[in-house]
Amino acid sequence: VIYRFDGATLTTYQTVPTDGAVLATYFVIGVERYLAVAQLHGDRTSFGYRVQSQVYKWNGSKFNFFQALNTTGANDVEHFTIDNQQFLAFANYQDASSYSIHSHVYKWKSGQFVLFQSIPSLGAISVAHIQVVESHFLAFANVYSGSTTNIDSKIYRWSGAQFEIFQSIPTFGG
């Protein structure tokens, strides 16, 4: 559900169809406005985790479906820009049999998002883009390996061409 503030309260503005949506992020590319929705699972009857997260595009009065992106139990989505290049990163939590899966980074190319890089993760629950001066980082909070929550979360640094492991940080549940 998308809400609008009418000056006094939040009122329902639009409903976008989702199954198991956990987080959405709004972003702008050029003059176009978008909404990316991270989907943890599919319909409740199959409770499948290999689902597509959605990107919606604003048409001036509402968000319309724009693109589906392959994710696996997506728990978070982050939009960021590096050197005028647009990216969406998804923290993938699990599939039906394992928490050891890859999280995905998509890059804007020719008017759509394309898979740019797969990054190993263990029950990733969150992803954050961090910029320190001219350096860009992606931090993935890994929360569960399938047997323990005492695992390392990972920070990746932008090399100019891709994200490379920069540091492992011991965490307990992300």
Side-chain angles (χ1 to χ4, degrees):
V1 176
I2 299 171
Y3 293 92
R4 176 175 54 193
F5 185 65
D6 66 10
T9 61
L10 292 173
T11 58
T12 300
Y13 182 76
Q14 181 184 351
T15 301
V16 293
T18 63
D19 282 316
V22 292
L23 192 132
T25 190
Y26 169 84
F27 58 96
V28 177
I29 298 176
V31 297
E32 303 293 343
R33 292 166 171 78
Y34 298 89
L35 184 71
V37 179
Q39 295 227 128
L40 178 64
H41 57 77
D43 67 64
R44 300 224 183 255
T45 57
S46 64
F47 206 72
Y49 289 97
R50 291 192 183 276
V51 297
Q52 294 181 319
S53 292
Q54 296 95 15
V55 178
Y56 294 89
K57 184 177 179 180
W58 182 252
N59 74 359
S61 61
K62 68 177 186 170
F63 283 100
N64 289 322
F65 175 80
F66 175 74
Q67 185 179 5
L69 301 173
N70 290 328
T71 54
T72 308
N75 239 323
D76 193 9
V77 57
E78 174 97 347
H79 172 265
F80 57 97
T81 304
I82 300 174
D83 299 328
N84 294 318
Q85 300 175 87
Q86 307 288 324
F87 296 90
L88 280 178
F90 288 88
N92 288 334
Y93 181 66
Q94 74 176 100
D95 65 15
S97 62
S98 178
Y99 293 87
S100 179
I101 59 174
H102 285 82
S103 289
H104 299 305
V105 179
Y106 287 88
K107 182 178 178 181
W108 184 256
K109 184 177 179 183
S110 302
Q112 66 178 356
F113 285 101
V114 295
L115 183 61
F116 174 73
Q117 187 172 355
S118 292
I119 295 177
S121 54
L122 287 170
I125 198 164
S126 183
V127 58
H129 170 255
I130 304 156
Q131 183 175 352
V132 179
V133 189
E134 296 298 318
S135 295
H136 293 268
F137 301 88
L138 274 184
F140 285 89
N142 292 320
V143 70
Y144 188 59
S145 69
S147 61
T148 183
T149 56
N150 189 13
I151 57 175
D152 288 352
S153 290
K154 307 285 184 177
I155 300 175
Y156 294 83
R157 185 178 192 167
W158 178 248
S159 72
Q162 67 179 7
F163 288 96
E164 298 174 351
I165 189 69
F166 173 74
Q167 187 172 354
S168 293
I169 298 174
T171 53
F172 187 76

